[in-house]
Amino acid sequence: MKISPIMSNSYNNVSFSSCARIVKNKSGSIIYRNTTTFFRNDLDWNSLCMYIKDKYKNANKVNLVCYACSDGSEPMSLAMLIKENFGNDFQKFFPIVAKDVDDVIIRRAKSCFVNMDIEDIRTINNYTNNNIRNYFKFPRKALGIEFIPALINPWFKKGINYSVADIKKDCSNIPSDNTLLFFRNVWPYLADDSERMKLIKKIKSQFSKNCAIVIGNFDNKNISTHNLLLDAGLKESGLLKNVYELG
Ligand SMILES: C[S@@+](CC[C@H](N)C(=O)[O-])C[C@H]1O[C@@H](n2cnc3c(N)ncnc32)[C@H](O)[C@@H]1O
């Protein structure tokens, strides 16, 4: 897919996991940023885990669908959370479907390595009971260098299917039952409230049974995605901020 017109883009920070790539149009205005990080801290990941356990306890298959996945930090965080907390049941959540409108960032997400800094390693160890080596291999010692190259273990890599997609055109592919849809920290990049509401209505009509959507703090900065979701008839989960269900 071609995103046009892209005149410039840059990686301000070479860390994969703290990606801060900016994509601008011809006149220099920002179209969007790929900013992301492992276990981005605007979501309470431990409560999310409890929420998923309860909501999908009777489901044989759960669809974790992550649009605006950027470089993969978000779906990989989700995959680690599931693997650590669901024992043998983890298979019913895999593969996670991860999509982004940006073909450059999806190429990067599909690669088999990540560059991590010490903070990424600390965060991942925190959520995986110091089990980072179950997911990543560190081929060389990295003492004294800023970023540490890590290879994604093949079994873990297979747990996420990446592809390029614009959510506005791809809604019909969202599974309608037992779906947890991530579209986080991206709503301000849509044109205006009318485009946002059109998308919310499409997503809502796609949802049938036991579905929810997860947004981020950035989505309520300057624009109020929260109010738009409520206006469309969704309700915020009583258990967890930033998660909305059919009312
Ligand atoms: C700031 S990043 C958010 C990454 C991640 N969701 C997080 O919260 O850390 C926003 C991403 O949304 C993607 N994006 C923008 N518009 C999109 C659309 N219409 N459909 C799918 N992805 C989109 C951009 O390419 C970018 O990677």
Side-chain angles (χ1 to χ4, degrees), residues 32-36 40 68 70 74 100-102 165-168 183-186 189:
Y32 51 74
R33 296 171 194 265
N34 296 130
T35 315
T36 191
R40 192 165 176 162
S70 185
E74 184 167 83
D100 197 288
V101 73
D102 185 338
D166 179 340
I167 193 171
K168 299 193 293 293
F183 192 55
R184 289 180 13 88
N185 298 310
V186 54
Y189 300 131

Side-chain angles (χ1 to χ4, degrees), residues 195-206:
E195 188 171 85
R196 289 179 197 111
M197 188 49 108
K198 210 167 137 194
L199 176 60
I200 292 171
K201 285 184 176 159
K202 268 193 197 169
I203 292 171
K204 194 182 163 209
S205 71
Q206 192 68 18

Side-chain angles (χ1 to χ4, degrees), residues 9-11 19-23 32-35 102 104-105:
N9 62 62
S10 59
Y11 287 95
C19 177
R21 179 170 168 271
I22 298 172
V23 179
Y32 51 74
R33 296 171 194 265
N34 296 130
T35 315
D102 185 338
V104 174
I105 209 69

Side-chain angles (χ1 to χ4, degrees), residues 116-134:
M116 291 189 191
D117 63 17
I118 295 292
E119 189 53 28
D120 297 320
I121 292 173
R122 194 198 61 75
T123 306
I124 293 170
N125 268 329
N126 183 31
Y127 281 100
T128 62
N129 206 11
N130 292 321
N131 219 357
I132 193 169
R133 282 186 168 71
N134 192 26

Side-chain angles (χ1 to χ4, degrees), residues 16-245:
F16 174 98
S17 56
S18 303
C19 177
R21 179 170 168 271
I22 298 172
V23 179
K24 296 181 181 171
N25 66 14
K26 226 192 277 190
S27 52
S29 308
I30 293 174
I31 306 176
Y32 51 74
R33 296 171 194 265
N34 296 130
T35 315
T36 191
T37 189
F38 284 109
F39 295 101
R40 192 165 176 162
N41 67 8
D42 60 342
L43 190 60
D44 179 345
W45 292 86
N46 291 323
S47 299
L48 177 72
C49 184
M50 290 193 290
Y51 174 83
I52 293 175
K53 264 193 181 146
D54 183 56
K55 191 171 180 70
Y56 299 112
K57 56 180 182 289
N58 298 322
N60 295 324
K61 167 80 186 122
V62 180
N63 303 298
L64 298 178
V65 184
C66 183
Y67 282 89
C69 68
S70 185
D71 63 13
S73 301
E74 184 167 83
M76 279 192 276
S77 302
L78 190 55
M80 286 186 270
L81 189 80
I82 295 293
K83 181 70 177 70
E84 290 297 317
N85 290 283
F86 286 82
N88 288 337
D89 228 16
F90 84 93
Q91 303 262 23
K92 77 177 186 183
F93 298 93
F94 280 29
I96 292 174
V97 171
K99 306 188 184 195
D100 197 288
V101 73
D102 185 338
D103 58 342
V104 174
I105 209 69
I106 285 295
R107 266 207 304 282
R108 197 167 174 183
K110 283 181 174 174
S111 80
C112 42
F113 80 95
V114 298
N115 277 326
M116 291 189 191
D117 63 17
I118 295 292
E119 189 53 28
D120 297 320
I121 292 173
R122 194 198 61 75
T123 306
I124 293 170
N125 268 329
N126 183 31
Y127 281 100
T128 62
N129 206 11
N130 292 321
N131 219 357
I132 193 169
R133 282 186 168 71
N134 192 26
Y135 305 97
F136 303 99
K137 261 198 187 65
F138 295 90
R140 61 188 164 88
K141 276 224 157 62
L143 291 177
I145 62 169
E146 197 181 353
F147 295 107
I148 302 161
L151 271 171
I152 305 169
N153 286 341
W155 75 265
F156 183 44
K157 186 88 216 157
K158 274 197 217 134
I160 304 170
N161 283 347
Y162 291 103
S163 59
V164 177
D166 179 340
I167 193 171
K168 299 193 293 293
K169 299 180 190 148
D170 202 56
C171 277
S172 59
N173 289 317
I174 298 170
S176 51
D177 291 350
N178 295 316
T179 297
L180 188 60
L181 177 73
F182 286 68
F183 192 55
R184 289 180 13 88
N185 298 310
V186 54
W187 291 87
Y189 300 131
L190 302 182
D192 52 29
D193 275 357
S194 129
E195 188 171 85
R196 289 179 197 111
M197 188 49 108
K198 210 167 137 194
L199 176 60
I200 292 171
K201 285 184 176 159
K202 268 193 197 169
I203 292 171
K204 194 182 163 209
S205 71
Q206 192 68 18
F207 281 177
S208 170
K209 208 181 77 195
N210 220 19
C211 297
I213 177 165
V214 189
I215 65 164
N217 284 356
F218 175 67
D219 301 317
N220 286 320
K221 214 174 159 187
N222 303 321
I223 62 150
S224 180
T225 308
H226 170 85
N227 288 342
L228 293 174
L229 288 161
L230 297 188
D231 289 350
L234 292 156
K235 64 172 173 50
E236 195 168 17
S237 149
L239 285 176
L240 195 53
K241 185 175 161 263
N242 284 344
V243 178
Y244 296 81
E245 302 171 329

